[in-house]
Amino acid sequence: MVDITETALIVLTHGDWGEKLVTGAETIVGKMRNVRSFPFFPEMDFSDYLANVNQAVEDCGQKCIILTDLFGSSTSNVAGILSRNHQCLAFSGLNLLLLINAYELRKERNEQIVIDQLLTTAAKDLRCINREIELAEVKRNKE
């Protein structure tokens, strides 16, 4: 049974890594409810893919958050089309942290809070590990 107070999450990726990402997230947050993943493969017809994802969005019967892997690609184009025709927020740049944060925000009703928090998460998550290590060593040496 779907909890209608929870916004559905739709994951759109090239290949099946989105399904694997959901499985990985479940090792951290437990079983994820109301999350669907749609892989897009080169041999697939764009119109068919759009129709399948559109049906899933309509089946949600409520707002949804669509997470895609690559801005400007087929998956984000589908998200863009659906976000104009349905009550969906669409984001590209999918990664594990973004998926988990979107899942945790699914009960938030203020769309601007969701947008701001997910964009902030994405901006903070990209880091140069080498630089982080160097900064930590400099800090440790100063102490």
Side-chain angles (χ1 to χ4, degrees):
M1 181 173 178
V2 173
D3 181 348
I4 61 170
T5 65
E6 294 179 352
T7 300
L9 293 183
I10 307 288
V11 176
L12 309 180
T13 58
H14 292 82
D16 63 358
W17 71 272
E19 295 168 339
K20 295 176 186 339
L21 194 66
V22 171
T23 300
E26 288 179 333
T27 66
I28 298 169
V29 299
K31 179 70 177 153
M32 297 178 86
R33 297 182 321 271
N34 210 9
V35 177
R36 296 194 55 195
S37 181
F38 292 85
F40 183 74
F41 296 102
E43 66 274 5
M44 295 175 81
D45 179 75
F46 179 84
S47 297
D48 292 341
Y49 183 73
L50 174 61
N52 288 338
V53 178
N54 184 64
Q55 186 61 58
V57 170
E58 289 179 358
D59 290 347
C60 292
Q62 60 196 6
K63 293 181 180 181
C64 68
I65 297 173
I66 302 174
L67 303 173
T68 74
D69 54 358
L70 185 62
F71 182 75
S73 68
S74 298
T75 56
S76 72
N77 290 338
V78 166
I81 291 167
L82 296 178
S83 70
R84 295 186 66 146
N85 299 327
H86 300 282
Q87 293 185 36
C88 298
L89 293 175
F91 297 87
S92 67
L94 177 62
N95 62 37
L96 184 59
L97 183 59
L98 184 65
L99 174 61
I100 290 170
N101 284 353
Y103 186 73
E104 291 172 348
L105 287 167
R106 70 195 188 287
K107 291 186 179 183
E108 176 60 58
R109 292 294 162 231
N110 183 324
E111 286 186 2
Q112 195 57 54
I113 290 173
V114 173
I115 292 168
D116 291 346
Q117 288 190 7
L118 291 181
L119 290 177
T120 299
T121 293
K124 286 182 178 177
D125 192 41
L126 180 61
R127 297 190 184 179
C128 177
I129 295 171
N130 305 69
R131 182 173 290 163
E132 295 293 327
I133 292 169
E134 289 171 7
L135 291 173
E137 288 173 350
V138 167
K139 183 178 177 182
R140 191 172 43 244
N141 290 336
K142 285 183 178 181
E143 293 176 348

